PDB file of all heavy atoms in Angstrom:
ATOM      1  N   ARG I 276      90.374 119.842 118.459  1.00  0.00           N
ATOM      2  CA  ARG I 276      89.159 120.535 118.931  1.00  0.00           C
ATOM      3  C   ARG I 276      88.660 119.942 120.252  1.00  0.00           C
ATOM      4  O   ARG I 276      87.957 120.592 121.005  1.00  0.00           O
ATOM      5  CB  ARG I 276      88.049 120.472 117.871  1.00  0.00           C
ATOM      6  CG  ARG I 276      87.607 119.072 117.568  1.00  0.00           C
ATOM      7  CD  ARG I 276      86.532 119.011 116.484  1.00  0.00           C
ATOM      8  NE  ARG I 276      86.459 117.653 115.988  1.00  0.00           N
ATOM      9  CZ  ARG I 276      86.625 117.290 114.708  1.00  0.00           C
ATOM     10  NH1 ARG I 276      86.799 118.185 113.781  1.00  0.00           N
ATOM     11  NH2 ARG I 276      86.581 116.020 114.367  1.00  0.00           N
ATOM     12  N   SER I 277      88.999 118.681 120.516  1.00  0.00           N
ATOM     13  CA  SER I 277      88.522 118.068 121.768  1.00  0.00           C
ATOM     14  C   SER I 277      89.690 117.430 122.516  1.00  0.00           C
ATOM     15  O   SER I 277      89.581 116.334 123.041  1.00  0.00           O
ATOM     16  CB  SER I 277      87.454 117.032 121.480  1.00  0.00           C
ATOM     17  OG  SER I 277      87.992 116.001 120.699  1.00  0.00           O
ATOM     18  N   THR I 278      90.787 118.156 122.581  1.00  0.00           N
ATOM     19  CA  THR I 278      91.998 117.583 123.137  1.00  0.00           C
ATOM     20  C   THR I 278      91.847 117.157 124.601  1.00  0.00           C
ATOM     21  O   THR I 278      92.488 116.245 125.065  1.00  0.00           O
ATOM     22  CB  THR I 278      93.168 118.578 122.987  1.00  0.00           C
ATOM     23  OG1 THR I 278      94.348 118.000 123.509  1.00  0.00           O
ATOM     24  CG2 THR I 278      92.910 119.877 123.678  1.00  0.00           C
ATOM     25  N   SER I 279      90.948 117.809 125.342  1.00  0.00           N
ATOM     26  CA  SER I 279      90.777 117.483 126.770  1.00  0.00           C
ATOM     27  C   SER I 279      89.531 116.657 127.030  1.00  0.00           C
ATOM     28  O   SER I 279      88.989 116.686 128.123  1.00  0.00           O
ATOM     29  CB  SER I 279      90.689 118.761 127.589  1.00  0.00           C
ATOM     30  OG  SER I 279      91.815 119.554 127.376  1.00  0.00           O
ATOM     31  N   ALA I 280      89.101 115.883 126.020  1.00  0.00           N
ATOM     32  CA  ALA I 280      87.828 115.176 126.145  1.00  0.00           C
ATOM     33  C   ALA I 280      87.775 114.280 127.376  1.00  0.00           C
ATOM     34  O   ALA I 280      86.701 114.041 127.927  1.00  0.00           O
ATOM     35  CB  ALA I 280      87.560 114.359 124.898  1.00  0.00           C
ATOM     36  N   GLY I 281      88.931 113.822 127.853  1.00  0.00           N
ATOM     37  CA  GLY I 281      88.935 113.011 129.055  1.00  0.00           C
ATOM     38  C   GLY I 281      88.611 113.820 130.288  1.00  0.00           C
ATOM     39  O   GLY I 281      88.229 113.269 131.323  1.00  0.00           O
ATOM     40  N   GLY I 282      88.734 115.141 130.204  1.00  0.00           N
ATOM     41  CA  GLY I 282      88.535 115.992 131.387  1.00  0.00           C
ATOM     42  C   GLY I 282      87.360 116.929 131.311  1.00  0.00           C
ATOM     43  O   GLY I 282      86.819 117.333 132.335  1.00  0.00           O
ATOM     44  N   ASN I 283      86.942 117.286 130.103  1.00  0.00           N
ATOM     45  CA  ASN I 283      85.786 118.186 129.982  1.00  0.00           C
ATOM     46  C   ASN I 283      85.211 118.091 128.574  1.00  0.00           C
ATOM     47  O   ASN I 283      85.785 117.451 127.705  1.00  0.00           O
ATOM     48  CB  ASN I 283      86.173 119.631 130.305  1.00  0.00           C
ATOM     49  CG  ASN I 283      87.181 120.192 129.330  1.00  0.00           C
ATOM     50  OD1 ASN I 283      86.949 120.218 128.121  1.00  0.00           O
ATOM     51  ND2 ASN I 283      88.335 120.617 129.835  1.00  0.00           N
ATOM     52  N   ASP I 284      84.066 118.751 128.393  1.00  0.00           N
ATOM     53  CA  ASP I 284      83.366 118.648 127.099  1.00  0.00           C
ATOM     54  C   ASP I 284      83.532 119.902 126.260  1.00  0.00           C
ATOM     55  O   ASP I 284      82.776 120.125 125.319  1.00  0.00           O
ATOM     56  CB  ASP I 284      81.876 118.369 127.336  1.00  0.00           C
ATOM     57  CG  ASP I 284      81.655 116.954 127.828  1.00  0.00           C
ATOM     58  OD1 ASP I 284      82.308 116.037 127.316  1.00  0.00           O
ATOM     59  OD2 ASP I 284      80.834 116.768 128.753  1.00  0.00           O
ATOM     60  N   GLN I 285      84.525 120.728 126.595  1.00  0.00           N
ATOM     61  CA  GLN I 285      84.710 121.942 125.800  1.00  0.00           C
ATOM     62  C   GLN I 285      85.167 121.579 124.381  1.00  0.00           C
ATOM     63  O   GLN I 285      85.924 120.647 124.187  1.00  0.00           O
ATOM     64  CB  GLN I 285      85.768 122.843 126.453  1.00  0.00           C
ATOM     65  CG  GLN I 285      85.218 123.603 127.636  1.00  0.00           C
ATOM     66  CD  GLN I 285      86.326 124.119 128.549  1.00  0.00           C
ATOM     67  OE1 GLN I 285      87.458 124.256 128.124  1.00  0.00           O
ATOM     68  NE2 GLN I 285      85.972 124.370 129.790  1.00  0.00           N
ATOM     69  N   VAL I 286      84.697 122.366 123.420  1.00  0.00           N
ATOM     70  CA  VAL I 286      85.113 122.183 122.029  1.00  0.00           C
ATOM     71  C   VAL I 286      85.794 123.469 121.575  1.00  0.00           C
ATOM     72  O   VAL I 286      85.255 124.550 121.767  1.00  0.00           O
ATOM     73  CB  VAL I 286      83.903 121.898 121.120  1.00  0.00           C
ATOM     74  CG1 VAL I 286      84.356 121.732 119.676  1.00  0.00           C
ATOM     75  CG2 VAL I 286      83.163 120.669 121.596  1.00  0.00           C
ATOM     76  N   ASN I 287      86.985 123.349 121.053  1.00  0.00           N
ATOM     77  CA  ASN I 287      87.690 124.510 120.527  1.00  0.00           C
ATOM     78  C   ASN I 287      87.401 124.620 119.032  1.00  0.00           C
ATOM     79  O   ASN I 287      88.013 123.927 118.215  1.00  0.00           O
ATOM     80  CB  ASN I 287      89.188 124.354 120.795  1.00  0.00           C
ATOM     81  CG  ASN I 287      89.985 125.501 120.200  1.00  0.00           C
ATOM     82  OD1 ASN I 287      89.427 126.419 119.576  1.00  0.00           O
ATOM     83  ND2 ASN I 287      91.276 125.461 120.385  1.00  0.00           N
ATOM     84  N   GLU I 288      86.437 125.476 118.696  1.00  0.00           N
ATOM     85  CA  GLU I 288      85.974 125.558 117.305  1.00  0.00           C
ATOM     86  C   GLU I 288      87.037 126.141 116.373  1.00  0.00           C
ATOM     87  O   GLU I 288      86.955 125.971 115.163  1.00  0.00           O
ATOM     88  CB  GLU I 288      84.708 126.432 117.208  1.00  0.00           C
ATOM     89  CG  GLU I 288      83.524 125.957 118.056  1.00  0.00           C
ATOM     90  CD  GLU I 288      82.807 124.742 117.477  1.00  0.00           C
ATOM     91  OE1 GLU I 288      83.234 124.231 116.428  1.00  0.00           O
ATOM     92  OE2 GLU I 288      81.806 124.311 118.108  1.00  0.00           O
ATOM     93  N   THR I 289      88.020 126.809 116.933  1.00  0.00           N
ATOM     94  CA  THR I 289      89.033 127.437 116.071  1.00  0.00           C
ATOM     95  C   THR I 289      90.299 126.593 115.957  1.00  0.00           C
ATOM     96  O   THR I 289      91.274 127.013 115.340  1.00  0.00           O
ATOM     97  CB  THR I 289      89.424 128.834 116.618  1.00  0.00           C
ATOM     98  OG1 THR I 289      89.968 128.664 117.927  1.00  0.00           O
ATOM     99  CG2 THR I 289      88.203 129.761 116.699  1.00  0.00           C
ATOM    100  N   ALA I 290      90.271 125.396 116.534  1.00  0.00           N
ATOM    101  CA  ALA I 290      91.465 124.546 116.464  1.00  0.00           C
ATOM    102  C   ALA I 290      91.733 124.131 115.010  1.00  0.00           C
ATOM    103  O   ALA I 290      90.791 123.967 114.228  1.00  0.00           O
ATOM    104  CB  ALA I 290      91.262 123.303 117.327  1.00  0.00           C
ATOM    105  N   PRO I 291      92.985 123.960 114.636  1.00  0.00           N
ATOM    106  CA  PRO I 291      93.302 123.449 113.301  1.00  0.00           C
ATOM    107  C   PRO I 291      92.658 122.073 113.099  1.00  0.00           C
ATOM    108  O   PRO I 291      92.446 121.336 114.064  1.00  0.00           O
ATOM    109  CB  PRO I 291      94.835 123.319 113.304  1.00  0.00           C
ATOM    110  CG  PRO I 291      95.305 124.050 114.499  1.00  0.00           C
ATOM    111  CD  PRO I 291      94.177 124.127 115.470  1.00  0.00           C
ATOM    112  N   ILE I 292      92.357 121.730 111.849  1.00  0.00           N
ATOM    113  CA  ILE I 292      91.795 120.412 111.535  1.00  0.00           C
ATOM    114  C   ILE I 292      92.960 119.541 111.048  1.00  0.00           C
ATOM    115  O   ILE I 292      93.440 119.686 109.930  1.00  0.00           O
ATOM    116  CB  ILE I 292      90.721 120.497 110.424  1.00  0.00           C
ATOM    117  CG1 ILE I 292      89.657 121.564 110.767  1.00  0.00           C
ATOM    118  CG2 ILE I 292      90.084 119.138 110.171  1.00  0.00           C
ATOM    119  CD1 ILE I 292      88.713 121.191 111.864  1.00  0.00           C
TER     120      ILE I 292
END
Side-chain angles (χ1 to χ4, degrees):
R276 63 182 163 237
S277 63
T278 181
S279 303
N283 63 57
D284 288 318
Q285 282 161 22
V286 179
N287 177 359
E288 301 285 2
T289 61
I292 308 288

